[in-house]
Amino acid sequence: MTDELLEAFLIEGRELTAQAADDLVALARAPGDKARLDRCFRAVHTLKGSVGLFDLPAMGRVLHVAEDQLERLRRGEGDGQGLFEPLIEVVDQVDRWLDALERSEALPPDAAEVSQRLIDRLTSAGAPSSVVQQTGEIAIHYAPRADAYFAGDDPMAIIAGVPGLRDLKVSPREPFGDLARYDPFTCNLVIEAVSTAARTDVEAALRWVKDQVELSIVAPVAAGAVENGEAEGFGRTIRVEAGRIDRLADLTGELVIAKNGLSDLASQIEGLADGRAIAQALRAQQARIDRLVGDLHGTVSKVRLTPLAPLFGRFPRLVRETARALGKSADFEIDGGEIEVDKAVVDGLFEPLLHVLRNALDHGVEAPEARRAAGKSETGSLRLSARTVGEQVLIEVADDGAGIDPARIRDLAVARDLIAPSAAQALDDRGAVDLIFLPGFSTASSVSEVSGRGVGMDAVRTTVGRLGGRVEIVSRAGQGSTIRILLPISMVLTKVMVVACGDERYGLTLDDVVETTRVPADRIVPIRGGHAFQQREQVIPLVRLANLVGAESHARGGAERVVVARVGDEVVGFAVDAIVERMDAAVRPMSGLLAGARGVVGSTLLANGAVLMILDLQELIP
Amino acid sequence: MSISAVGDVIYLQGPCRVEDAETLVALLQKSRKVTLDVSTCESLHAAVVQAILAFEGQIVGAPTNGFLGEFVVPALGRTIQP
């Protein structure tokens, strides 16, 4: 199988299993929901079709049976009692197999066995009751035993006795092999037929061989409906490899920097004799490029927006598995999957959300007995939702469990030497609950196998922080907890240049930077109490960044490292100790006490978790 | 005797029973390029149908029996390579 095909299949497969599982869970509650049943059938039908492209017989077989059972329900045969649960298991199993395929490009060795077990469960759960009156056509699959001829059976005569025959097909059960050694008395036939008679009559005609016969319902009309339904479902979309979009975004970023150089060029031309007219034309052209680059930037950011649904869709199965492992039961509700956010946010949220959901089941939702004692329903409720708040998206994981006890958190944090006892007591309840985000808190506390994976809530906070967002927790004793994750919708990554002044690092937005250069000490001249240097016919004022931000500088004398940047209408050189790197960062505006800090536009997190201040050069210049 | 061969044509006549399969297979093993005439055939046992299927016998004639003419002959024709 080709990688691309498999990759596309994995993406589509996950969407379809998520869709089907979602519908099945809803159907288990309200089996009469025809629209859901149709949609679920379509998802399984499409999934089965896609599986057919690969050599995955175990997966194909069980999906085929699942599709048949769903089809029966659609025809109004049976009410689905007892069927939805095995169907959910089938879909979950398929989802697990998709994970295995992604890891090793093959199904686990026990796949055939697991598949058969699920098929048995499906067929026994969906066994037709004797009173069913069926008006649709019946497909007959009759595979006589190898000793049928010896036993005196004539399968042809038996099938001839079926009323209402409409179609017949005969084929060998196994390849005939070497015809020179053909055994005329070993039965090697599969007979397939379609009957328009009532199911009970067909069953009666085949009653002597019913152990060799499978009946299913044919639905020629429904098949047409399926095709139409699918056609409607397709939007005008194409799947594009994420790397290409990232490259496009990178190029757009580079374009922004290249464009910045134009304005400097225009100023230089303006200074030339007779340069005024050309400079004006250049500026007009530059304004146009400015606008186009801005447009391009916005469009590329929008291309990166993808709905949360595929991400959210991966959780129902994991929640079910976790709940089962913990012996708890919880209804899991998802809302807001249609909201679109930056692809980087979608990609980065899986681990943190998984951890938060597991935590909620492990430490939030109580065991059934405890819930009963507390006067709650035995089944807990867990809700994952998203909604937009201005330019941001708010993702919440809410449970109706026991809530977090601030006193207990204080004790635990003190016991683990994460905080001094006096400091812990000084915290208000909200601050105490916030302690769970301290590194070392949750890894140590999560003794249970489920949430203890070495990932703590601190990792959740760091990951979300790197995506430009923040996490907070609201908890009410006895009523449950809500984890709120606030993230930017469009993670327009800002190009940042990281510079060093002494031991401190600062970020400058690359939008402002014209160039970086080394200026030998002898080219620096004192001017009116300050300094300046000459470059390409231009005198550029030079300031020491360390002085502006109040940092220590390890100035060595000799040549200066200078970042030439545009500040308002002026070009200014900023002497720094070193230029460390360029990076793409999600810059967050300053909040809280620092919101009013002068000279800082925002902050971003470095890979090691340290905060990098992004400077506002304009505000820094006295 | 419901199975007889004349040159390259094998005639299947009346009801063809399970024991006829052996005769037919013997004939088919001798000469693969044969035509099976079923115009006066009344029924085919599954073992005979299976032999025709295995040896890809070419069927001619339209039997009067409804089930045979309507379903079995077309079903065999369907699986024969052109």
Side-chain angles (χ1 to χ4, degrees):
Chain A
M1 62 183 87
T2 69
D3 286 352
E4 274 175 35
L5 199 57
L6 180 65
E7 214 167 281
F9 169 62
L10 287 174
I11 295 170
E12 189 200 45
R14 288 217 173 90
E15 285 171 12
L16 291 168
T17 51
Q19 172 77 68
D22 182 36
D23 287 333
L24 285 168
V25 169
L27 281 165
R29 275 188 226 128
D33 191 336
K34 190 91 179 68
R36 278 220 185 248
L37 186 58
D38 286 348
R39 202 166 55 186
C40 180
F41 172 80
R42 279 202 296 273
V44 171
H45 174 80
T46 311
L47 194 56
K48 188 200 76 176
S50 307
V51 169
L53 296 174
F54 303 93
D55 184 25
L56 303 167
M59 203 163 172
R61 267 202 309 275
V62 71
L63 281 169
H64 185 87
V65 176
E67 185 193 8
D68 281 352
Q69 298 292 9
L70 283 166
E71 177 58 20
R72 278 190 46 234
L73 293 177
R74 289 175 83 209
R75 307 280 302 181
E77 212 185 316
D79 58 0
Q81 276 315 324
L83 193 54
F84 291 118
E85 205 188 314
L87 279 170
I88 291 171
E89 261 186 57
V90 168
V91 172
D92 281 357
Q93 183 58 52
V94 168
D95 199 41
R96 257 174 250 134
W97 280 336
L98 291 176
D99 289 349
L101 278 173
E102 185 169 31
R103 278 195 305 271
S104 54
E105 294 201 4
L107 295 184
D110 67 343
E113 209 177 298
V114 171
S115 168
Q116 190 54 50
R117 210 161 51 231
L118 286 168
I119 290 173
D120 292 346
R121 280 203 59 188
L122 277 178
T123 43
S124 63
S129 62
S130 53
V131 290
V132 171
Q133 281 294 304
Q134 186 48 56
T135 50
E137 291 191 330
I138 311 223
I140 301 161
H141 183 272
Y142 173 24
R145 281 196 304 263
D147 63 354
Y149 305 153
F150 280 113
D153 280 353
D154 177 1
M156 271 319 190
I158 290 171
I159 210 78
V162 171
L165 271 195
R166 194 177 60 69
D167 200 3
L168 179 79
K169 188 176 167 226
V170 286
S171 45
R173 196 179 55 236
E174 286 160 20
F176 287 114
D178 182 5
L179 290 176
R181 300 160 75 171
Y182 181 82
D183 177 359
F185 301 123
T186 298
C187 181
N188 181 19
L189 273 188
V190 172
I191 301 169
E192 289 162 280
V194 176
S195 165
T196 55
R199 183 170 187 132
T200 45
D201 295 338
V202 175
E203 280 171 349
L206 296 168
R207 66 192 177 282
W208 302 113
V209 291
K210 67 175 180 218
D211 57 323
Q212 301 154 49
V213 171
E214 277 175 38
L215 299 183
S216 51
I217 311 300
V218 193
V221 184
V226 167
E227 302 315 320
N228 290 342
E230 276 172 359
E232 278 164 25
F234 285 122
R236 285 186 56 233
T237 57
I238 50 167
R239 286 191 204 275
V240 180
E241 197 218 336
R244 293 191 198 168
I245 305 271
D246 291 345
R247 177 83 187 119
L248 199 57
D250 279 352
L251 287 173
T252 311
E254 299 291 330
L255 203 55
V256 171
I257 298 169
K259 174 212 77 181
N260 289 348
L262 283 180
S263 123
D264 189 41
L265 203 58
S267 308
Q268 287 183 38
I269 291 172
E270 210 157 31
L272 298 175
D274 304 332
R276 217 181 154 71
I278 302 176
Q280 268 180 358
L282 189 59
R283 279 195 202 285
Q285 199 64 21
Q286 185 213 344
R288 215 176 132 212
I289 294 175
D290 245 3
R291 214 170 44 243
L292 290 173
V293 169
D295 257 9
L296 185 61
H297 207 258
T299 310
V300 169
S301 314
K302 277 208 195 78
V303 169
R304 293 179 50 90
L305 296 186
T306 77
L308 284 163
L311 169 74
F312 281 8
R314 297 184 65 182
F315 294 120
R317 179 196 117 209
L318 297 164
V319 165
R320 279 194 292 279
E321 286 176 353
T322 307
R324 204 175 306 141
L326 291 166
K328 295 177 179 179
S329 93
D331 281 335
F332 183 44
E333 201 183 323
I334 290 182
D335 194 25
E338 73 285 354
I339 289 172
E340 296 191 328
V341 300
D342 192 278
K343 175 137 193 350
V345 173
V346 176
D347 288 348
L349 272 181
F350 178 70
E351 284 283 332
L353 278 181
L354 180 62
H355 184 76
V356 167
L357 285 166
R358 282 183 157 149
N359 251 353
L361 282 170
D362 197 1
H363 305 300
V365 175
E366 315 92 323
E369 315 82 66
R371 290 185 65 88
R372 214 171 27 238
K376 300 181 185 177
S377 73
E378 283 187 23
T379 304
S381 138
L382 191 58
R383 188 179 145 84
L384 170 64
S385 63
R387 64 190 159 91
T388 51
V389 181
E391 288 293 291
Q392 294 183 300
V393 60
L394 176 65
I395 297 175
E396 288 187 329
V397 173
D399 67 62
D400 70 341
I404 298 171
D405 178 5
R408 194 174 127 74
I409 300 294
R410 275 195 197 94
D411 291 350
L412 282 170
V414 170
R416 280 169 198 144
D417 281 337
L418 298 172
I419 185 171
S422 56
Q425 289 317 313
L427 286 172
D428 60 9
D429 282 356
R430 210 183 157 116
V433 169
D434 215 52
L435 291 173
I436 67 164
F437 289 110
L438 283 181
F441 185 89
S442 32
T443 44
S445 69
S446 311
V447 224
S448 80
E449 277 182 27
V450 169
S451 40
R453 293 172 78 219
V455 202
M457 289 300 283
D458 62 314
V460 171
R461 180 164 270 184
T462 308
T463 310
V464 170
R466 294 206 64 189
L467 294 170
R470 60 192 158 87
V471 191
E472 57 183 33
I473 184 160
V474 186
S475 178
R476 283 205 203 107
Q479 292 178 44
S481 315
T482 302
I483 305 272
R484 298 156 59 97
I485 301 177
L486 197 62
L487 288 156
I489 286 177
S490 177
M491 222 184 53
V492 180
L493 292 176
T494 310
K495 302 248 168 213
V496 172
M497 176 179 283
V498 183
V499 298
C501 294
D503 296 328
E504 300 291 331
R505 306 241 153 140
Y506 298 95
L508 308 173
T509 53
L510 264 185
D511 273 4
D512 300 331
V513 174
V514 178
E515 63 180 322
T516 60
T517 182
R518 283 171 75 86
V519 182
D522 57 3
R523 264 175 49 203
I524 300 173
V525 291
I527 289 182
R528 276 177 298 175
H531 292 85
F533 66 99
Q534 196 175 12
Q535 190 175 38
R536 291 192 292 270
E537 315 298 317
Q538 207 178 357
V539 176
I540 300 173
L542 180 68
V543 291
R544 191 162 292 283
L545 190 62
N547 294 345
L548 293 178
V549 296
E552 289 282 320
S553 171
H554 301 165
R556 300 156 304 242
E560 292 278 7
R561 270 256 164 243
V562 175
V563 178
V564 181
R566 178 160 296 283
V567 181
D569 297 330
E570 258 189 294
V571 174
V572 179
F574 294 87
V576 298
D577 288 358
I579 291 159
V580 183
E581 61 172 333
R582 286 181 182 199
M583 60 181 248
D584 291 317
V587 177
R588 286 186 291 172
M590 302 304 281
S591 58
L593 281 177
L594 290 170
R598 263 187 78 79
V600 182
V601 274
S603 68
T604 190
L605 283 182
L606 293 172
N608 61 8
V611 176
L612 180 77
M613 298 285 186
I614 313 294
L615 300 178
D616 182 338
L617 294 175
Q618 174 125 40
E619 276 191 1
L620 281 175
I621 296 288
Chain B
M1 182 72 168
S2 54
I3 294 193
S4 53
V6 178
D8 277 350
V9 181
I10 297 174
Y11 292 91
L12 303 171
Q13 293 164 311
C16 292
R17 300 183 216 281
V18 64
E19 58 272 18
D20 295 323
E22 197 170 18
T23 320
L24 178 63
V25 167
L27 288 169
L28 289 168
Q29 274 169 339
K30 253 191 278 174
S31 164
R32 298 286 303 278
K33 296 266 177 204
V34 294
T35 304
L36 302 163
D37 189 325
V38 295
S39 24
T40 57
C41 183
E42 286 163 23
S43 71
L44 288 175
H45 189 278
V48 178
V49 170
Q50 183 182 312
I52 299 172
L53 195 62
F55 288 86
E56 298 175 5
Q58 184 71 48
I59 298 213
V60 294
T64 49
N65 176 291
F67 175 68
L68 205 54
E70 202 177 333
F71 296 111
V72 181
V73 171
L76 284 167
R78 208 189 261 184
T79 52
I80 290 168
Q81 310 299 320

